Amino acid sequence: MKKATFKTNINCGGCIATVTPFLDKVSTLKSWSVDTNSKSKLLTVEGNEIEKDEVIKAVQSAGFEIKEKKRLLSF
């Protein structure tokens, strides 16, 4: 299963309730969660084939900001 992480401005239970129907419509996602306690309000999505553009469009359609979090490579 693949995983992707995004920075958002989803910061409370009400925000999660607002975005839920939008993210639930993204058929490629098996699960998703938002860490509202993190500074970046991280949205983590999981699925076999994640369409990142669909996730971004869904969150934006719900009225929130979203940006893919880039992983840093360590050597």
Side-chain angles (χ1 to χ4, degrees):
M1 189 164 308
K2 296 180 181 178
K3 185 185 280 190
T5 307
F6 302 85
K7 292 180 182 182
T8 72
N9 65 340
I10 300 169
N11 60 20
C12 67
C15 296
I16 291 172
T18 299
V19 79
T20 294
F22 293 89
L23 285 173
D24 285 351
K25 288 182 184 176
V26 180
S27 61
T28 58
L29 298 183
K30 297 288 184 196
S31 66
W32 62 271
S33 63
V34 179
D35 182 358
T36 57
N37 294 321
S38 74
K39 182 180 177 183
S40 298
K41 310 301 180 197
L42 295 177
L43 165 65
T44 302
V45 297
E46 292 184 278
N48 292 328
E49 294 296 325
I50 298 171
E51 296 292 335
K52 294 177 183 177
D53 289 342
E54 285 186 45
V55 174
I56 290 169
K57 285 178 187 175
V59 172
Q60 289 174 336
S61 293
F64 296 98
E65 296 173 9
I66 182 171
K67 187 166 112 175
E68 184 177 0
K69 183 176 182 214
K70 302 292 182 189
R71 293 183 180 233
L72 297 176
L73 299 176
S74 57
F75 295 93

